[in-house]
Amino acid sequence: MRFLLVLTLLLGLATAGRAQAPTRPGPGTVRGALADSATGRPLREASVTLTLAKDSSYVSFGITDGDGRFALKNVAVGNYNVQVSALGYRARLLPVAVSATDLTPDLGLLRLGQTSQKLGEVVVTQNLAPVAVHGDTVDFNAKAFKTQPNAAVESLLKKLPGVEVDRDGSIRSQGQAVNRVLVDGKPFFGDDPKMATRNLPADIIDKVQMYDQQSDQSAFSGIDDGNRQRTLNLVTKRDKRKGYFGTEAAGVGTDGRYQARLGLNRFNNGRQISALAQANNLNQQGFSDNGGPASADFGPAPGGPSGGIRLQLGGGSGRQNSPASNSQPTNITESGAVGLNYRDAWGKKAEVATSYLASRATVTTDQQIRRQNVAGSTGPEAGQPIISDQSLLNRTTTTSHRFNMRLDYVLDSLTSLRLTPYAWWQTTDLARQNQQQTSVGSRLLNQGNNRYTGTTDNPNGGGNFLLMRRFARQGRTFSANLNSTLSNQDVADFNRGTTSFFDASGMPLPQATQQLNQRIEQHTPVRNHALTLSYVEPLSLRTKLETHYAFNDARNNGNRFTADFNEASGQYDRPNAGLSNQFTSLFQSNRAGLTLQKRRLRYTIGAGLDAQRADLTVRNLSADTTVQRRFTSLLPNALFSYTGTRNRQLRLNYRTRLNAPSASQLQPVRDNSNPLSIQTGNPNLRPEYVQSLVATYSQFNAATSRSVFGLLNGSRVDDRIVSSSTFDSRGVQTTRPVNADGFYSLNGFLSLGQRLATHKINLNLTTNASFVKSPSLVNGLANTGRTWSLGQGASANSAFNETLEFGLSANVTYQNASYSRLTDQNNNFLTQTLTADIYYQLPARFVLTSDLWYSNNTGRAAGFNQRIALWNVALARQFFANKQGELKLQVYDLLNQNRSVVRNTTETYVEDVRSRILQQYFMLSFTYNLRQFGK
C-alpha cells in the first residue's frame, strides 16, 4: 500500500507538472523575422531562444515559420536576450525589453550571414532547451540534467527522459537496447558501451545524442538498408577538448572487499589518448563481458532450453519488457582490466581510432532454482507438472585480449576507404557443480550430482572493408563492402556425475544408478564472409534508385569427441561414439534487388524488393550423410518517415530477412553436460523467415519543455526455430530445436517527460508493454505459450541547488504467462520497485549521499516471494581547491537485506531463481579527480 501511495504521488506530481508552464506567463509577445543577409531569402525553421538578461536562464523557445517570422508569446514584463540561429549561419544575440508601454516589441528583419570558414575555439554560454529533435536524432542538453561533482556519464544518462540504465550498466533508449557509444562521433574502446559511460566524467559532456545509426554503407549511399543500431554519441564541451583529466581511486573494505582505479585521458582537440586500469570485487565491471565482435559459447546452461523465449523479471539479458531499473545481479564478480585508446588524424587523408583492452573476470554464481515444466506426467500423476529443483554453484574465469581499429582514408576527392579490423582472444576456465532432482507431485523421479570443469579457447578475428566512390553527378554513388569473421573454439572439458532413479514408492530402482566420467574435446571453426555491392542512380533531385547485390558464405564445422574413463588404464581411452560427431554446414546465399527512395522536405518514402536464393548443405561426416536444401524467397522492404513542425518525427520501417540456423543447432550430437537435461541438434532445420514492423515517434515542445517518445515493434516469424522437449518415465529431459510456425511478438514503449524549469525538476513517465506468442513441442504435442506484460513507471529528479540533489522513481510491472498444454501452469505475477537517491552538501566540505533500491515480488513459487531493500549510505570529505580529492566512508547494504530473486518465463517452463549476491560491507576509499584543461 505504501508503494502504491508513492507511485500515486509521483503520478500526481507529473500531472501537475505538465499543467504548469516552465515560467510564469505574461502579457507580452516578442516578434521578428530572419533572412539570409546575401539573398534576402527567409530562413524558416530557425531556432529562437529567449533568456533572462540578468542570469541567462531559459524562458522560451520557438522556430520561424515558412516566411521566416517568429513570435514568442506569454512573456512577462522584463529585460531579455534573444538568440537566433540557423544551420550554416552565424548566430546573433540581441537585447529586448517588454514593458508596460511596449508589450509587443518587434525586432524587425534580422539578417544572418552564412558561415564561410571553420571557426576556432568559440565558447558560448547559455541555457539551451533540455531536449531537441533534429530529424532522427534526439539531443539532450547535459547542462539541463545536472549531476553530482565528478560523477560518471552513467549518472547523467539515468536522468534523461526515455533512457533507462540497468544496475549492470546496460542502457535502453526508448525501449531499445543501446549497443554502441561514441565520443564526438568516433569509437571509444571499440563498441564497448561501458568503457565510455563508466569511465568518462559527466562534467565534460555538452550534449548526449541518441539515434539509430545506419550501417556505414547505407549512410554513404543515402539509401536506408534497415541495418540500424541504437547509438549514443557523447559530445564533449569545446573547452574540455584540450587538456588532461582522469580519476584515480583506491579503497579497502570489510569481508575482503577492495577497489582500485587509474585513469588518464589526454584530449587535444582531434587527438585523444586514454589509458585506463581498474580492479575490484564489488560487481563494478567497467567493461562489457563480450566486448568484441562475437561472444563465446561456454556450453548450454544446466537444463536450458534450445531456442527459448525468455522473459525475466528483475534481471538478465533476455529481458523483453521489464524496466531497466528493476534488474538485479545474480552473481558476484571480481574483475580487472587494463586498456589503451588512441584516436588521431594522420595527415590530411587518414584518420585512425584504435584500442586495446586486456581483462580478467571471475564470476561466482550460487543459485537455488525451481522450475515448473509445461510437460505433464502420465500414469497416476497425469496432468501434474514436472518439477525440477536445482542447487547450482558455478565459477567462471574469463581472460580476454581485444584489439579494435577503424581507419578512414581518402584516396581522392571522390573516393575513400574505411577499414575496421579486429582481433580478439578469450580463454575461459569453468568449474560447475550442480545438484538436481525431478519430481511429480510428491513422487521423486530422479536425483543427480554433476561436476563439470573445462577450458575454452576462442580466438576471433576479421574485419570490414568498405570502398566508397562518388561520381561527378550529384547523388550517383558506388560502394563495395566486405565483412569477414574467422574464429575457432577449442574446448577441453571433463564431465563427472552420478544420477539415481526411483520407483513409484520412492525407492531407488535396482541397477538404475548412472555414473559419468568423461573427457570432451570440441573444435569448432567458423568462417563467414559477406560481400555487398550498391549502385545508386539519382532519377531526379529528390528521387534515387539503388541496385544492390549481396553474397554470403557461412561455413561452420563441428568436431566433438567424447571418451569415457577407463578404470583399468586410468586414462580416457574409451571412445563414446554416441556422444561424438564430425559435422560441417555451409550456408550460401545470393541476393539482388532494387530500392526506390524519394525525399521531400517533410517526409521520406522508400520501397524495395529483393530476390534471394539460399543453399544449405549439412554433412554428418560420422554417419556419412548429406542434407542439401535450397530456399528461394522474396524479401520486400519499405520505410516512411515524416518530420512535422515543432520537433515532431514519425518513422515506420518494414523489413524481411532470413535467419540461418547456427552450427550448434544443426549438429546432431547429444550434449550431456547436465545428464538430467540433454541437448541435441537437428540437421533438418530450415532458416527462419522474419517480418518486422517498427514504428517510432518523438516530439519535443521547447516552449513547454515537454517531450514524448514512443516505440511500437511487431514481428512475425515463419519456420521459427523453437524447442522440442521430451520427458521420459524417469524424468530425464531431452531438448532439440525444430521449426514451427505461429510466432508473433509485439512490444511497446511510451515515455512522457516534463521539465519544470522554475523548480529545476525533471519528471518522466514510462509505460512498457509486450505480448509474445511462441510455439513449441512438449512430448511430441504442440504447445503454445503466451506471455504478456504491462509496466508503469514514474520518476522525478532535481539538482535543486548547489547543496541538494535528489531522485525518486517507482515502477509496477504485471506479467502473465499461459500455455495451451497443462493449463494449470498458467500464472501471473507482480513486481514493484522503488528507488531513491540523495546528495547533500554539508558544512566544512562534508557530503552525505544515500541511495535505496526496494523490490516487492508476488505470485512466485513458495519461498521466492520476497521484499528486498538495498540501502547504501556514504559520508565523504572533499579536499583541495576545486574539490578534486575525496575521502569516503560508505556502507553497502546497511540493512543487510540484499537478495536476488528472478523469474524466467519461456514457452516450455516457468522458473524461479534465488541467487547469492553481494551483501553488507563497509569501505574506506580515496578518490582524486584530475581536471586540467586548456593545456
Side-chain angles (χ1 to χ4, degrees), residues 450-451 493-498 514-520 562-567 570-574 576 672:
N450 178 247
R451 290 179 298 135
D493 292 348
F494 294 91
N495 188 20
R496 304 176 179 92
T498 302
Q514 295 180 351
Q515 298 284 345
L516 277 181
N517 191 352
Q518 298 172 335
R519 175 182 170 87
I520 302 168
T562 303
D564 294 318
F565 184 74
N566 188 340
E567 295 284 354
Q571 302 291 327
Y572 292 91
D573 55 11
R574 297 173 54 190
N576 190 320
N672 66 340

Side-chain angles (χ1 to χ4, degrees), residues 510-555:
Q511 298 181 346
T513 298
Q514 295 180 351
Q515 298 284 345
L516 277 181
N517 191 352
Q518 298 172 335
R519 175 182 170 87
I520 302 168
E521 296 181 0
Q522 186 164 319
H523 179 63
T524 310
V526 176
R527 306 289 183 265
N528 294 335
H529 305 282
L531 174 65
T532 305
L533 306 177
S534 169
Y535 175 78
V536 178
E537 180 65 26
L539 303 182
S540 67
L541 183 63
R542 298 183 176 91
T543 306
K544 293 181 179 181
L545 178 66
E546 182 196 39
T547 304
H548 50 260
Y549 166 78
F551 172 74
N552 289 273
D553 184 283
R555 301 170 185 264

Side-chain angles (χ1 to χ4, degrees), residues 585-587 614-618 627-629 631 661 666 685 687:
S585 71
L586 171 62
F587 182 81
D615 295 284
L616 177 62
T617 302
V618 179
V627 176
Q628 291 182 314
R629 296 192 174 185
F631 308 93
L666 291 168
L685 289 176

